[in-house]
Amino acid sequence: MPSIIKAVKLGFDYVKYSEESETPEHVSAIRGIDLSVKRGDFIAILGHNGSGKSTLAKHINALLVPTSGTMWIDGIDTSKVEELWKVRQKAGMVFQNPDNQIIGTVVDEDVGFGPENLGVATEDIWSRVDDALSKVGMLGFRDRSPNKLSGGQKQRVAIAGVVAMHPDCIVLDEPTAMLDPNGRREVLEVIRDLNEKEGVTVLLITHYMEEVVFADHVYVMDQGELVMEGTPREIFSQVETLKKYKLTVPQVTELAYELKAAGVKLPDGVLTRQELVDALMPAADSGKVEA
Amino acid sequence: MGEIALGQYYPSNSILHKLDPRVKFIGTIVYIVSLFLVNTWIGYLFCAGFLIVMVILSRVPFHFILKSMKPVFFILVITMLFNLFLTPGEPVVKFWIFTISDQGISMAVRMGARLTLLVMGSSIMTLTTTPNALTDGMERLFSFLKVIHVPVHEISMMMSIALRFIPILAEETDKIKKAQIARGADFETGGLIRRLKSMVPLLVPLFVSAFRRANDLAMAMEARCYHGGDGRTQMKPLRYAGRDYAAYAILAAYLAVCIVFCWRHL
């Protein structure tokens, strides 16, 4: 099966004009990125600020075109101008700030904005909007003004706006960074639902470790390059390496790591609280915790 | 800072609220034209009667319509005074250097009536139509200007985005203001110049943030395949219903009567 997102030797350079120096400076935001994402996967990309993860995300939606290498979305080269709208329909994008991506003054009008741009017939727009709003659990808010919603609700509306365009994959660029814990949970539930029930390929960009536990595959970026990849368990078992990239592991993983370092026999890469409990209980039974 | 009332929309479910915004826009223009057509007492009474029927149909409380007079009240008074004192004719009252002629009185009352009806008439449109519906209606009405390359769709898109962002920017202004006050800024005291100067530290961050928002929004719109009005469909297209045609018929009849008044000097 061909991969939905594929990048080969992807690089993006730009020229930066700083106020201090006269000569423009060449910066390469990302370089040498090889990526291949299977249809229906839940992919997480981790990285601290300035690691190039947002730049990579914008390449998937063809908001940026690579200065070197190639990016394909469902087999379409994103640098082909005539395929631009097709690429953007296939790869929807949700941004960080919910306020700055909602265009409509009423919730359902905003969700209809994407289909309107695609030239979908009026009746189909309505059914798409109903469908998208119910998938994110916001159908009851369709007549509200977005300004009156909570951050998590706004972000769910933004996700519905992308879902209504029937994309093959959704790229979410730090969708929870501006939300409170409740909003963050709501949004993550919606994203997981879309992935599991609708089979939408999800690419979640974040710096919250807790959010990537459920991912099928995790990539870690640092200084514009992909530096680690693997399952969440594989990634989180390398606590020291992650710390080198200025990332912290989830609290439970950190605790398990510290316990292990202190001599408790535990497996590497404990991801959830339940796993830690399960791993600790037999250990406690045989009295090794005291040791 | 509470919720900012945009325009002066009064939510209700009346027949006027349900009318197509294009009908209401054209209706307002017809009404304004009619006010300049008629020039007699019977004519004004007829126009006033039409307005009263509209007010009743709109189910907007009358004091809301009176409120729309507030900003123009001063202009109204000055217009009436000028007409009262400066119209030449048969003097009725004379004191000191002022003369009031009978033509002056009739002119002043007519101008006053005309202005009052004009403002109240147009306020019915803004009271019964949401700013968004109005923008939509104008886009459709002026779409013929596309022929001479006026970006009608783009202008209307700009207007509706502005409408969406006004409350957000107002909230932001409030936040910045509080942040500046917390650090000792003074927006309240001093003369006009001083107070204007104190606005600078408020406006600079506000503009920076507005530009950042604009940039983000443009990117979000592009990400959702926005590429101008070409090939775009509408989720809520304006479609005339039976009542809209009926309203047009009534408007035509109304205008015809006014033209007869004007022609016959009734």
Side-chain angles (χ1 to χ4, degrees), chain B residues 62-127:
Chain B
F62 192 64
H63 68 266
F64 272 90
I65 292 162
L66 276 186
K67 244 200 269 173
S68 65
M69 290 299 297
K70 228 160 75 183
V72 288
F73 185 72
F74 196 60
I75 298 171
L76 179 72
V77 169
I78 290 191
T79 314
M80 286 182 74
L81 285 179
F82 268 89
N83 277 297
L84 191 63
F85 291 115
L86 299 177
T87 313
E90 206 62 33
V92 181
V93 187
K94 243 186 174 176
F95 62 94
W96 196 32
I97 52 166
F98 298 110
T99 327
I100 297 176
S101 66
D102 55 348
Q103 279 96 333
I105 295 173
S106 109
M107 193 71 174
V109 174
R110 266 186 290 175
M111 282 307 283
R114 190 176 272 174
L115 240 132
T116 311
L117 291 176
L118 193 145
V119 173
M120 284 184 173
S122 25
S123 79
I124 288 184
M125 176 178 75
T126 48
L127 280 164

Side-chain angles (χ1 to χ4, degrees), chain A residues 259 262-265 279-291:
Chain A
L259 282 173
V264 182
K265 279 220 170 89
L280 276 175
M281 288 319 279
D285 287 344
S286 53
K288 276 172 193 159
V289 171
E290 286 84 7

Side-chain angles (χ1 to χ4, degrees), chain A residues 62 65 76-88:
Chain A
V65 266
I76 305 171
D77 185 344
T78 60
S79 59
K80 280 192 185 140
V81 180
E82 64 275 13
E83 306 276 24
L84 184 65
W85 307 114
K86 222 186 217 169
V87 169
R88 290 193 180 156

Side-chain angles (χ1 to χ4, degrees), chain A:
Chain A
M1 195 167 68
S3 36
I4 180 86
I5 303 170
K6 190 173 165 64
V8 173
K9 298 256 169 292
L10 195 74
F12 184 75
D13 300 343
Y14 63 95
V15 184
K16 185 170 136 190
Y17 298 90
S18 66
E19 284 174 34
E20 298 91 49
S21 64
E22 290 289 302
T23 48
E25 183 186 352
H26 281 270
V27 187
S28 66
I30 53 173
R31 57 192 169 274
I33 304 259
D34 289 317
L35 193 71
S36 177
V37 176
K38 271 212 318 281
R39 204 176 271 273
D41 266 4
F42 189 129
I43 303 294
I45 296 182
L46 286 170
H48 66 92
N49 291 337
S51 60
K53 55 194 197 304
S54 283
T55 310
L56 177 60
K58 282 172 195 159
H59 276 84
I60 297 170
N61 193 263
L63 285 170
L64 293 175
V65 266
T67 48
S68 63
T70 320
M71 168 75 94
W72 291 274
I73 303 299
D74 200 16
I76 305 171
D77 185 344
T78 60
S79 59
K80 280 192 185 140
V81 180
E82 64 275 13
E83 306 276 24
L84 184 65
W85 307 114
K86 222 186 217 169
V87 169
R88 290 193 180 156
Q89 184 268 317
K90 282 180 183 293
M93 186 142 177
V94 176
F95 297 87
Q96 189 183 71
N97 188 334
D99 273 327
N100 295 357
Q101 56 183 319
I102 293 180
I103 294 111
T105 37
V106 185
V107 166
D108 64 356
E109 280 175 18
D110 183 70
V111 178
F113 181 76
E116 283 181 335
N117 291 333
L118 295 176
V120 175
T122 302
E123 301 77 52
D124 295 343
I125 297 181
W126 282 87
S127 63
R128 281 185 182 211
V129 168
D130 289 352
D131 185 50
L133 278 173
S134 63
K135 273 179 191 159
V136 300
M138 290 294 290
L139 201 56
F141 295 85
R142 61 178 313 154
D143 294 324
R144 301 279 191 90
S145 153
N147 294 335
K148 299 235 168 94
L149 302 179
S150 74
Q153 290 171 329
K154 282 183 210 171
Q155 205 60 296
R156 274 149 70 196
V157 170
I159 292 173
V162 171
V163 169
M165 294 173 74
H166 291 176
D168 294 324
C169 84
I170 299 182
V171 183
L172 302 107
D173 188 0
E174 301 201 42
T176 60
M178 297 180 79
L179 306 181
D180 57 11
N182 267 334
R184 198 181 300 165
R185 207 180 47 238
E186 284 170 24
V187 168
L188 278 176
E189 269 168 23
V190 165
I191 298 172
R192 283 186 67 194
D193 262 14
L194 284 175
N195 177 248
E196 282 164 17
K197 292 188 190 149
E198 311 295 330
V200 180
T201 314
V202 169
L203 209 129
L204 177 68
I205 291 168
T206 183
H207 57 250
Y208 289 112
M209 295 291 156
E210 286 81 0
E211 297 180 354
V212 309
V213 170
F214 310 104
D216 295 312
H217 212 72
V218 178
Y219 291 91
V220 177
M221 286 191 76
D222 188 58
Q223 303 194 356
E225 286 174 80
L226 284 179
V227 286
M228 291 168 84
E229 68 162 291
T231 61
R233 201 175 302 279
E234 284 163 14
I235 298 288
F236 288 154
S237 50
Q238 305 172 51
V239 177
E240 286 307 313
T241 327
L242 281 171
K243 281 186 173 162
K244 198 177 85 194
Y245 297 127
K246 297 178 202 146
L247 293 166
T248 50
V249 293
Q251 219 174 11
V252 185
T253 314
E254 173 102 51
L255 177 64
Y257 172 77
E258 292 294 339
L259 282 173
K260 198 179 176 219
V264 182
K265 279 220 170 89
L266 284 169
D268 273 334
V270 173
L271 297 180
T272 63
R273 204 174 291 180
Q274 192 56 47
E275 274 180 39
L276 181 61
V277 171
D278 290 347
L280 276 175
M281 288 319 279
D285 287 344
S286 53
K288 276 172 193 159
V289 171
E290 286 84 7

